[in-house]
Amino acid sequence: MKAYNDTTYAILGILTTEYRSGYEIKQFIDNSLHHFWKISYGQIYPTLKRLEQDGLATIDITAHSGRPDRKAYHLTQKGKEILREWLEKPIQQLPVERNEVLLKLFFGNHQTPAQTTHLLKDYHQKLIELYQTYEGIEEIISAHDSNLKDARYWLFTLEYGKRTTEAAIAWCEATLKEL
């Protein structure tokens, strides 16, 4: 199997949904995946071009008067097979988290206790807001997309986000007590 990067596999997966244009793919990412996977426009369009060149996707072009043509991408059978092969492979490594709060806390001895407390209280508030966002997303998926086969799996990933956020909130509270 030819080696592709994770962005390629993410876009192959997105093409299994109703999102087909580069713009729609970016909207899907911003509304669902960005909590755990970020992809920029600068990555999307070259990846779509490569998918088409490698025969993993086809393009339908629709002309619009006064506007640029709309390009809609569709997975080919080969694209579905490549996605399935990647999905069946074992995980190569655990995700590495880059967390500015933990980095600043690690060097917290070089700031005042008040600054550290402020840092953690601010982080705590942001985590609560993130958790509320996840609850809102859960309501939307449950209300509108419950008949989609994908919705079940979207809720699984959302539950991961909720649980890790709950754990981070509890960690913040315990750390603030220790301070």
Side-chain angles (χ1 to χ4, degrees):
M1 180 169 88
K2 184 176 181 177
Y4 291 101
N5 63 28
D6 289 335
T7 297
T8 302
Y9 297 118
I11 292 176
L12 285 172
I14 293 167
L15 289 176
T16 66
T17 70
E18 63 197 42
Y19 301 93
R20 304 280 183 234
S21 71
Y23 176 79
E24 290 170 337
I25 289 169
K26 180 63 172 147
Q27 294 303 112
F28 181 82
I29 292 165
D30 289 348
N31 292 325
S32 59
L33 300 182
H34 83 277
H35 296 284
F36 60 92
W37 200 262
K38 296 179 181 3
I39 302 174
S40 68
Y41 276 119
Q43 294 172 289
I44 292 171
Y45 289 103
T47 301
L48 288 170
K49 183 176 181 179
R50 184 172 180 200
L51 292 178
E52 195 269 331
Q53 289 172 343
D54 290 355
L56 305 181
T58 59
I59 303 173
D60 290 333
I61 299 175
T62 307
H64 290 86
S65 62
R67 294 189 330 215
D69 294 345
R70 180 182 185 273
K71 293 181 180 179
Y73 294 82
H74 301 274
L75 275 183
T76 62
Q77 188 58 40
K78 182 179 175 185
K80 290 176 185 176
E81 290 169 10
I82 294 293
L83 176 63
R84 189 173 40 256
E85 287 175 19
W86 174 74
L87 289 169
E88 292 173 357
K89 284 179 134 182
I91 297 169
Q92 299 298 312
Q93 65 182 20
L94 288 175
V96 178
E97 182 179 2
R98 293 176 53 109
N99 185 317
E100 182 182 2
V101 171
L102 292 179
L103 184 61
K104 288 182 176 185
L105 185 61
F106 189 83
F107 297 109
N109 188 47
H110 302 283
Q111 65 181 354
T112 67
Q115 288 171 316
T116 302
T117 299
H118 176 72
L119 172 76
L120 290 173
K121 285 182 177 180
D122 184 52
Y123 185 49
H124 183 261
Q125 182 57 42
K126 285 179 171 57
L127 288 168
I128 289 171
E129 291 167 7
L130 178 60
Y131 189 84
Q132 291 168 345
T133 298
Y134 287 158
E135 287 182 322
I137 292 169
E138 183 176 33
E139 287 177 21
I140 291 168
I141 292 171
S142 296
H144 297 99
D145 298 324
S146 60
N147 293 331
L148 289 176
K149 291 179 183 178
D150 291 330
R152 178 178 186 208
Y153 297 94
W154 296 348
L155 290 170
F156 290 156
T157 58
L158 184 62
E159 184 64 21
Y160 177 89
K162 287 175 64 179
R163 288 182 185 214
T164 57
T165 303
E166 284 177 327
I169 289 168
W171 170 84
C172 264
E173 292 167 355
T175 305
L176 282 164
K177 283 181 186 177
E178 286 288 319
L179 287 174

